[in-house]
Amino acid sequence: LLCAFSYWLAGMSPFDAISHSFSTVSIGGFSTHDRSMAYFASSTVNIITVVFLLISACNYVLHFNAFSQLGKRNIFLSYFRDPEFRFFMLIQFSLVLICFAMLLANHHFDETFQNLEQALFQSVSISTTAGYTTSSFEQWPLFLPILLLFASCIGGCAGSTGGGLKVVRVLVLYLQAKRELKRLIHPNLVYPIKLGKRVLDERVIQSIWAFFSAYLLVFVICLLGVISCGVETFDAFNAVIACLNNVGPALGTVSSNFVGIPDSAKWILTLAMVCGRLEIFSLLVLFTPAFWKS
């Protein structure tokens, strides 16, 4: 409701405001116009979109806990005490900073503010797996398109409406890798992994590694399947990332739509989308004999 009202105040029609609020808060990324958010040509609309995409990419349990303690403690402290939220904001800030610096250095847009606005909008939109566009980010200079595409693999926080691996899993994988490096130097080191003040159980860490392994396995199988359908390797790579992470736009021939993809490959990509949305294990368990025996 807040998102729709904000869009309406920014100049959208009531229909567009309601439609885009659903698509923004769900991080769906669909628009009622072919040009997506570029149709409105409004910096205000772009900023509103960024704000609500960031809100929606955060853990909704964190939102509930923060607002349930409203008046008792500083609401901002409730957010920044959460390690996943801090890591998520660090990722977003880093992406915006890198994109802005590269766009500015290459004079991609005429004005400094336009470079900043486009860097902010596209980095947040792609990395949270929304997929809204205001410009052709695949034509951005250097490594930026690939950077944003890989950022979509991380996606939003756990308990959010975003896709991807989820920020907390990537954070735990980083902490685990850090621990293993220290164990190589000190083999007898006892080094529990903490998420905030909570020590993570080893079984939780193992389940995250299992999920990451399943994610890579599904990605490779879908990639090989799409390539076998006659799609060029680069286009297949982008299509699978876009579908598995539920991001929408990618690079190459699938930068705007999937019309040029063969029907056989679309079946595989459909499976990848379902797999990504159900977080892989929920779908893979249906193919295990033990599930049907139970």
Side-chain angles (χ1 to χ4, degrees), residues 70 83 156 217 219:
L70 193 63
L217 179 64
F219 174 79

Side-chain angles (χ1 to χ4, degrees), residues 17 20 52 73 105 124 183 228 286:
H20 284 86
F52 281 96
R73 64 168 66 174
V124 171
R183 280 180 171 175
S228 68
L286 296 176

Side-chain angles (χ1 to χ4, degrees), residues 181-238:
L181 285 174
K182 290 188 176 183
R183 280 180 171 175
L184 288 174
I185 303 171
H186 305 287
N188 298 321
L189 178 68
V190 177
Y191 191 95
I193 293 180
K194 291 184 178 181
L195 201 60
K197 296 181 180 179
R198 185 164 61 94
V199 176
L200 290 181
D201 187 271
E202 288 298 321
R203 187 174 179 181
V204 173
I205 299 170
Q206 291 171 7
S207 68
I208 290 175
W209 274 108
F211 178 86
F212 181 63
S213 301
Y215 176 90
L216 290 179
L217 179 64
V218 170
F219 174 79
V220 170
I221 291 174
C222 289
L223 177 61
L224 294 175
V226 173
I227 292 174
S228 68
C229 293
V231 181
E232 292 292 332
T233 304
F234 181 74
D235 294 332
F237 176 82
N238 283 278

Side-chain angles (χ1 to χ4, degrees), residues 76-156:
F76 293 104
L77 286 178
S78 299
Y79 282 97
F80 280 95
R81 284 175 178 170
D82 183 68
E84 183 186 23
F85 177 80
R86 293 198 303 269
F87 191 56
F88 171 68
M89 294 308 296
L90 176 64
I91 292 171
Q92 296 302 318
F93 179 78
S94 301
L95 286 173
V96 172
L97 188 62
I98 292 170
C99 290
F100 174 57
M102 290 294 100
L103 290 176
L104 195 62
N106 288 273
H107 306 287
H108 192 73
F109 296 101
D110 296 332
E111 300 177 3
T112 301
F113 176 76
Q114 191 177 11
N115 282 298
L116 177 60
E117 180 189 348
Q118 293 299 321
L120 176 64
F121 185 91
Q122 291 296 164
S123 61
V124 171
S125 177
I126 301 301
S127 64
T128 58
T129 70
Y132 281 133
T133 57
T134 52
S135 64
S136 301
F137 82 98
E138 70 274 6
Q139 297 176 3
W140 283 11
L142 303 175
F143 60 89
L144 294 184
I146 296 295
L147 173 67
L148 293 181
L149 198 64
F150 278 117
S152 71
C153 295
I154 300 175

Side-chain angles (χ1 to χ4, degrees), residues 145-176:
I146 296 295
L147 173 67
L148 293 181
L149 198 64
F150 278 117
S152 71
C153 295
I154 300 175
C157 299
S160 73
T161 55
L165 284 166
K166 299 296 189 296
V167 174
V168 69
R169 290 195 180 104
V170 176
L171 177 57
V172 172
L173 291 174
Y174 163 74
L175 294 174
Q176 167 71 352

